[in-house]
Amino acid sequence: MSMKLNIRTHGIALSRTQRHMIERRVRFALTKFGATISEVDCLLGDLNGPRGGIDKLCVLRLCPSGARRVVIEQTSEHVQEALDVAVERAARAVARGLKRGRPRRALG
């Protein structure tokens, strides 16, 4: 079973090429978890519109099986930077959640 990826935008227009790059980035970072993650929602938005500033938002919602849902929010001056940081944070959070969920080995 492969991971379902939903990409939505708010106030940002993405080309087909940009959508493809976003999909590749997310899948590459999370592929090490295999079928553990069933679905990822990716929301990219521009909070301030044309005023600019540190207003590009990336929200990732991941649904790992056997672990709690992971929600990461990251803002940056650039969409790509917000996405990159959010994806790395999400991968670390899923890894931590899965590690906590594993049964402990018996000592001795």
Side-chain angles (χ1 to χ4, degrees):
M1 179 166 82
S2 67
M3 175 179 68
K4 180 178 177 187
L5 176 59
N6 306 306
I7 300 172
R8 295 181 302 134
T9 61
H10 178 73
I12 294 175
L14 295 176
S15 69
R16 175 178 265 146
T17 302
Q18 288 171 315
R19 281 187 179 273
H20 181 69
M21 293 295 286
I22 290 166
E23 184 172 340
R24 285 185 58 208
R25 176 68 178 106
V26 171
R27 289 189 187 282
F28 179 77
L30 300 177
T31 193
K32 60 186 157 209
F33 302 109
T36 303
I37 300 172
S38 60
E39 187 171 358
V40 176
D41 291 322
C42 177
L43 170 65
L44 300 168
D46 187 345
L47 301 174
N48 293 338
R51 291 182 290 180
I54 301 176
D55 68 334
K56 304 307 185 275
L57 172 69
C58 177
V59 179
L60 293 176
R61 291 183 187 95
L62 294 84
C63 300
S65 58
R68 292 192 318 188
R69 183 178 207 173
V70 175
V71 179
I72 303 292
E73 292 186 22
Q74 183 68 44
T75 56
S76 182
E77 192 172 351
H78 304 285
V79 174
Q80 188 64 47
E81 184 178 325
L83 175 72
D84 288 344
V85 173
V87 166
E88 291 302 318
R89 288 179 56 205
R92 286 193 307 267
V94 170
R96 273 193 318 269
L98 292 174
K99 188 174 182 181
R100 285 184 193 139
R102 285 190 196 142
R104 294 185 181 190
R105 291 188 309 181
L107 296 176

